[in-house]
Amino acid sequence: MPARDLPRTANLETRTKETRIEVRVNLDGTGRSHISTGIRFFDHMISSFATHSLIDINIRARGDLRHHIVEDCAIALGKCIGMALDAREGILRFGSSFAPMDESLAFAAVDLVKRNYCVLSNFEIRRNVIEDLPKEDVAHFFRSFSNSLNCTTHIRLEYGSNDHHKIEACFKALALAMRRAMEKDPRRRVSPSSSVPSSKGVM
Ligand SMILES: [Mn+2]
């Protein structure tokens, strides 16, 4: 059976002196999530990411500092999704989307080939802390997630005025882009030689 027909699920447990994280994902889920990191706005953002990517995500995280928890959740979630994607064959590979949230608009584009790059553009957030999550940790999440998933990610905050909306729009845009990029491509099932969406023949 080709790898793409296996259930696209993975789970991961990481433990350091700073954090302890448990992550479980199902890429072909319905967007259900149970997120408990002790950082409420972060829980809200990951839940939103699950809802709009249709990835089922379970995360239980404990740690000493918010920065460490966000960073290690990003690394664990990126790695877990990467494991579930397996060889990354038979997928659309590219995905991009705008996501509005009231007065805010964000754009995200991802390429799931294994080329590591993350661009955050115009990420202008007024407050240093949004709800209970530092602004710098949000940017750090996107970079760490992209790095750990080993993909190319571009996120551009187009405009907005409410910091909560601006950040949530970025997470939603990323979710919609990921949903598309991870999707199985029926036209890539024709033959083994066409299953890899790269002219190099390898992702
Ligand atoms: Mn919200």
Side-chain angles (χ1 to χ4, degrees):
M1 189 161 64
R4 60 184 174 273
D5 288 326
L6 295 169
R8 298 196 299 172
T9 61
N11 57 73
L12 183 67
E13 228 183 294
T14 66
R15 191 191 283 241
T16 71
K17 283 181 180 172
E18 296 167 348
T19 63
R20 189 181 163 179
I21 318 266
E22 295 164 40
V23 182
R24 203 165 68 232
V25 300
N26 175 8
L27 304 190
D28 302 300
T30 55
R32 275 178 308 154
S33 64
H34 297 279
I35 315 293
S36 168
T37 67
I39 309 165
R40 290 172 67 193
F41 187 62
F42 188 48
D43 290 355
H44 175 36
M45 291 304 101
I46 302 297
S47 294
S48 180
F49 177 77
T51 299
H52 299 290
S53 64
L54 292 175
I55 304 173
D56 291 340
I57 303 177
N58 278 54
I59 296 182
R60 191 182 146 75
R62 292 294 175 264
D64 53 0
L65 299 170
R66 284 182 295 187
H67 177 89
H68 293 152
I69 293 170
V70 171
E71 176 177 81
D72 290 351
C73 280
I75 292 169
L77 181 61
K79 190 167 181 197
C80 212
I81 291 173
M83 286 159 63
L85 279 169
D86 194 42
R88 308 191 184 190
E89 292 175 3
I91 58 170
L92 290 176
R93 174 181 161 179
F94 295 97
S96 60
S97 186
F98 284 99
M101 182 156 186
D102 292 354
E103 85 302 331
S104 296
L105 183 72
F107 172 77
V110 297
D111 174 4
L112 287 178
V113 79
K114 292 176 179 172
R115 292 174 71 98
N116 198 327
Y117 213 99
C118 181
V119 178
L120 271 185
S121 176
N122 194 38
F123 195 67
E124 302 291 337
I125 306 295
R126 236 173 338 108
R127 284 178 290 164
N128 285 324
V129 180
I130 308 91
E131 313 300 357
D132 56 349
L133 181 64
K135 160 171 72 178
E136 64 179 17
D137 290 346
V138 179
H140 191 52
F141 172 87
F142 289 130
R143 292 197 182 99
S144 301
F145 173 77
S146 178
N147 188 50
S148 173
L149 179 52
N150 193 11
C151 67
T152 299
T153 307
H154 291 241
I155 297 172
R156 179 175 170 82
L157 178 58
E158 301 289 339
Y159 47 74
S161 59
N162 180 298
D163 286 339
H164 182 127
H165 290 168
K166 286 191 260 186
I167 290 169
E168 193 165 341
C170 288
F171 273 92
K172 285 175 171 169
L174 178 62
L176 293 168
M178 281 290 297
R179 175 185 169 177
R180 178 91 183 143
M182 293 182 316
E183 202 164 284
K184 292 173 190 173
D185 184 349
R187 292 185 63 189
R188 295 222 176 264
R189 299 175 65 91
V190 181
S191 72
S193 65
S194 73
S195 70
V196 181
S198 167
S199 53
K200 287 183 183 168
V202 63
M203 290 285 279

